[in-house]
Amino acid sequence: MLLASLNPAAVAAGADIGDAVRIDGAVLSRSDLVGAATSVAERVGGAGRVAVLATPTAATVLAVTGCLIAGVPFVPVPPDVGVAERAHILTDSGAQAWLGERPADSGGLPHVPVRLHARSWHRYGEPSWDATAMVMYTSGTTGLPKGVLISRRAIAADIDALAQAWQWSPDDTLVHGLPLFHVHGLILGLLGSLRIGNRFVHTGKPTPAGYAAAGGSLYFGVPTVWSRVAADADAAAALSCARLLVSGSAPLPVPVFNQLAELTGHLPVERYGSTEALITLSTRSDGERRPGWVGLPLTGVQTRLVCEDGSIAEHDAETIGSLQLKAPTLFDGYLNRPDATAEAFEPDGWYRTGDAAVIDHAGMHRIVGRESVDLIKSGGFRVGAGEVETVLLGHPAVDEVAVVGLPDDDLGQRIVAFVVGDANADELIAYVAEQLSTHKRPREVRLVDSLPRNAMGKVVKKELMK
């Protein structure tokens, strides 16, 4: 059963938690979740696909849970998405209705409300493990967003592997304030909790004060969240009672890693994943946690690094290769895009992540960045933008940084650093040259007020390359 903690028979027999989910001022017991979500299932049963406006509310929790009970694929739609992008998601997905909340411009789709106090105790059979659970859309950085088909099997495999790596159990209280339209907040945070059976607390906005007050044992955050926690000594100290602090969705700056370790007593767990593959790499609760490294393959995951000439890269912590993987967590293709699906895989079945990485002798992985924007070819050398960014973030005058390769008639690409902070450009260039090989130094440093970011806090480097 995908949502194992919501087994109706077990809940009826007394395996209940009065505060299984806390979100947006609402408190839901397991009995509430089973009864109200089953009522939702009855209202959408038989539908082909429905759209869910993924606000952090009880209505969203019940809409998602109801769809999974009924075996109806749902499409989580970001509440802040633009009109044109939302129209594309609705049209491309073939969603037949809005379930729960809906935007002011509903695109002409009918509306099926979620009634928080309705209850049904109808028993549904468990859908096939191979059935599509949801269609999650990519961020659209390389064109229109693509619908990623995610199966029930992939979700269960990923949560179970993470439970093993993080010693995640029903005794945990999981806290985060992340969006419910991405893998991190929705699949790991909400569905992970409903499968494992731990308490789940959504803080709304992921503020340091909100995290400190939640009293969790397991916290999820993106680097922006953790940098704010690290800047608030009182909030950070309150997290010392937690068991694990997990960071993902973007690289965690080494200085933030070190600050969290000093203030909370916890070395953060870093992990790596994508919409198409879910989480595939992670440091472990009982293993080494090294700043800047995202750990080992989860159970069932295989990885390889492929060099430009097609050879397999050495595991020497230096040789950069294209990261490819095989895993039980992989998606079932892009909706309506057989061409894009075929391009995502090698002929022998390995999935092309589009990320560049290095692996050390122990099998630890470090992500250099996206091959399209983070792998810089300058003067005949291949330079990972992430390595340069890590060094620059170690300079006390640098608050934020993004490194890109811009066209250069002589070098092919020149390394350019966009820096937020009270810094001197020439000093930063010399600083990198002292820390790394000379050819890895930025040829130019541009001081800016801020960096363009998406909803998950990731820097949108395409904006810097225009």
Side-chain angles (χ1 to χ4, degrees), residues 218-283:
L218 180 59
Y219 284 83
F220 290 171
V222 297
T224 301
V225 173
W226 292 125
S227 66
R228 291 171 182 169
V229 169
D232 187 327
D234 291 338
L239 300 189
S240 62
C241 296
R243 191 175 63 78
L244 285 182
L245 311 181
V246 179
S247 182
S249 298
L252 182 68
V254 173
V256 176
F257 182 104
N258 292 332
Q259 286 175 308
L260 285 173
E262 179 181 352
L263 294 171
T264 70
H266 297 294
L267 299 176
V269 165
E270 296 186 68
R271 88 300 182 279
Y272 163 82
S274 65
T275 306
E276 290 88 346
L278 306 184
I279 309 306
T280 49
L281 303 170
S282 181
T283 51

Side-chain angles (χ1 to χ4, degrees), residues 104-449:
D105 179 7
S106 62
L109 292 183
H111 177 222
V112 180
V114 168
R115 297 168 180 165
L116 300 185
H117 301 291
R119 297 290 184 271
S120 170
W121 306 109
H122 179 77
R123 297 289 181 89
Y124 282 83
E126 182 73 6
S128 166
W129 278 116
D130 294 323
T132 298
M134 69 183 78
V135 183
M136 185 174 285
Y137 276 77
T138 62
S139 57
T141 55
T142 57
L144 287 172
K146 298 188 289 289
V148 178
L149 298 167
I150 302 175
S151 71
R152 301 171 74 92
R153 181 187 302 277
I155 293 171
D158 203 46
I159 294 168
D160 292 349
L162 289 171
Q164 182 185 65
W166 298 344
Q167 298 179 352
W168 182 2
S169 79
D171 294 330
D172 279 308
T173 295
L174 192 159
V175 177
H176 77 67
L178 304 175
L180 296 184
F181 47 85
H182 284 302
V183 170
H184 199 164
L186 175 59
I187 295 179
L188 273 62
L190 177 60
L191 302 188
S193 296
L194 297 182
R195 180 166 177 78
I196 300 297
N198 58 271
R199 287 178 169 85
F200 172 71
V201 178
H202 195 285
T203 61
K205 292 183 178 180
T207 62
Y211 273 39
S217 61
L218 180 59
Y219 284 83
F220 290 171
V222 297
T224 301
V225 173
W226 292 125
S227 66
R228 291 171 182 169
V229 169
D232 187 327
D234 291 338
L239 300 189
S240 62
C241 296
R243 191 175 63 78
L244 285 182
L245 311 181
V246 179
S247 182
S249 298
L252 182 68
V254 173
V256 176
F257 182 104
N258 292 332
Q259 286 175 308
L260 285 173
E262 179 181 352
L263 294 171
T264 70
H266 297 294
L267 299 176
V269 165
E270 296 186 68
R271 88 300 182 279
Y272 163 82
S274 65
T275 306
E276 290 88 346
L278 306 184
I279 309 306
T280 49
L281 303 170
S282 181
T283 51
R284 299 178 61 92
S285 62
D286 59 354
E288 181 185 8
R289 304 178 209 172
R290 190 189 310 167
W293 294 74
V294 294
L296 305 168
L298 296 178
T299 298
V301 176
Q302 303 173 62
T303 65
R304 71 182 185 186
L305 294 182
V306 180
C307 298
E308 284 187 298
D309 62 3
S311 64
I312 301 301
E314 293 289 332
H315 290 190
D316 56 9
E318 291 290 337
T319 304
I320 297 173
S322 174
L323 179 63
Q324 299 180 1
L325 55 86
K326 288 184 177 181
T329 62
L330 279 173
F331 72 133
D332 290 332
Y334 295 111
L335 181 66
N336 305 323
R337 293 291 304 276
D339 54 337
T341 301
E343 290 173 6
F345 290 87
E346 292 285 345
D348 58 359
W350 287 82
Y351 169 63
R352 300 167 174 154
T353 66
D355 287 314
V358 299
I359 303 176
D360 74 2
H361 297 293
M364 289 279 280
H365 291 59
R366 179 169 62 83
I367 305 301
V368 172
R370 296 297 293 172
E371 292 181 276
S372 58
V373 294
D374 292 318
L375 188 57
I376 303 169
K377 300 177 182 178
S378 182
F381 295 98
R382 302 175 85 213
V383 179
E387 184 179 16
V388 182
E389 290 166 352
T390 295
V391 170
L392 284 169
L393 284 168
H395 192 284
V398 175
D399 297 325
E400 298 179 72
V401 63
V403 171
V404 300
L406 296 183
D408 187 275
D409 291 338
D410 179 41
L411 298 170
Q413 287 182 304
R414 69 182 185 280
I415 301 172
V416 178
F418 291 80
V419 172
V420 177
D422 185 15
N424 176 277
D426 291 337
E427 180 182 331
L428 293 182
I429 292 172
Y431 178 75
V432 175
E434 291 172 359
Q435 302 291 320
L436 301 175
S437 301
T438 303
H439 68 266
K440 295 181 180 180
R441 74 191 187 282
R443 300 303 177 113
E444 182 183 354
V445 171
R446 300 183 187 181
L447 300 177
V448 296
D449 294 329

